[in-house]
Amino acid sequence: QVQLVESGGGLVQTGGSLRLSCAASVRTFNNYCMGWFRQAPGTEREFVASISWTGTTTHYADSVKGRFTISRDNAKNTVYLQMDDLKPEDTAAYFCAARRVAYCSSDYVQARSYDYWGQGTQVTVSS
């Protein structure tokens, strides 16, 4: 019913920037908590950032705080992840996720809290 399609991944040098986009196919984009997760080979999927439907409340993993910025454009049914000062440790497949609530709750860091997922886009940061 809900389709999420990520784009914007690629190969960058340490210190470079990328902006990921997630386009959602839904009737109304507003009433969803949106999140970004990432997963490196051989590791578990980990939380990166989340944003409420109004865009007022955001959360970030400590590892990306100050470097990544999550935002959304409800008119375009799109959520973004601006990634600056990229490090090799950021290398992973990045996934967009949606939760059927307007406001992200205390368990926003748990992948199981989200109802819909994109297929992922690869981000590779070279040393």
Side-chain angles (χ1 to χ4, degrees):
Q1 182 178 345
V2 177
Q3 293 180 292
L4 303 174
V5 181
E6 304 97 332
S7 62
L11 174 64
V12 297
Q13 301 286 327
T14 297
S17 297
L18 285 173
R19 189 180 76 160
L20 306 184
S21 298
C22 173
S25 178
V26 294
R27 183 174 297 276
T28 57
F29 187 60
N30 300 45
N31 297 326
Y32 287 86
C33 165
M34 300 296 298
W36 286 96
F37 288 74
R38 66 187 183 186
Q39 186 170 22
T43 70
E44 295 183 346
R45 190 165 298 185
E46 66 173 343
F47 169 78
V48 176
S50 69
I51 187 169
S52 64
W53 76 273
T54 64
T56 301
T57 303
T58 58
H59 299 93
Y60 297 93
D62 288 341
S63 59
V64 306
K65 194 171 298 181
R67 299 187 298 118
F68 290 12
T69 303
I70 188 171
S71 62
R72 66 192 295 164
D73 186 339
N74 291 341
K76 295 182 177 180
N77 283 6
T78 302
V79 62
Y80 305 95
L81 184 68
Q82 177 67 42
M83 304 184 295
D84 297 318
D85 192 24
L86 283 162
K87 304 176 180 180
E89 300 81 64
D90 297 317
T91 295
Y94 283 71
F95 298 87
C96 176
R99 185 179 183 182
R100 297 190 300 266
V101 293
Y103 302 97
C104 307
S105 64
S106 59
D107 58 350
Y108 56 84
V109 301
Q110 300 294 331
R112 69 174 72 94
S113 298
Y114 296 80
D115 302 295
Y116 306 101
W117 293 86
Q119 81 289 349
T121 184
Q122 180 67 36
V123 172
T124 302
V125 185
S126 62
S127 302

